[in-house]
Amino acid sequence: SDVCSSDLPHAKSSTNPCVSISLGVCISEPAPGRTVHELIKQADAQLYQSKTTGRNRASVGSYVAPV
């Protein structure tokens, strides 16, 4: 909320005149079959989810490797 209430100008944005923050987080425990690449891919998917549901959000997911 500090970023939202600060009204920092974002002059080059075509979607929002003020700076916003969207986060994508993925949680995983180390285990065979789990790769850093897949963890990053899942975090990126969560970031996309945050941006498409209105920005200024955090989306959290978990990564479970296929059995």
Side-chain angles (χ1 to χ4, degrees):
S1 69
D2 288 338
V3 171
C4 295
S5 63
S6 67
D7 288 329
L8 296 171
H10 194 299
K12 295 185 179 188
S13 175
S14 61
T15 59
N16 194 345
C18 297
V19 173
S20 65
I21 294 178
S22 298
L23 299 172
V25 179
C26 186
I27 301 166
S28 179
E29 292 183 16
R34 294 181 183 164
T35 66
V36 171
H37 175 74
E38 284 298 322
L39 182 65
I40 292 170
K41 185 176 172 181
Q42 293 297 324
D44 188 55
Q46 293 300 319
L47 174 59
Y48 181 76
Q49 177 70 25
S50 290
K51 288 183 173 189
T52 58
T53 56
R55 300 186 182 272
N56 284 323
R57 299 174 187 270
S59 296
V60 180
S62 61
Y63 168 48
V64 179
V67 179

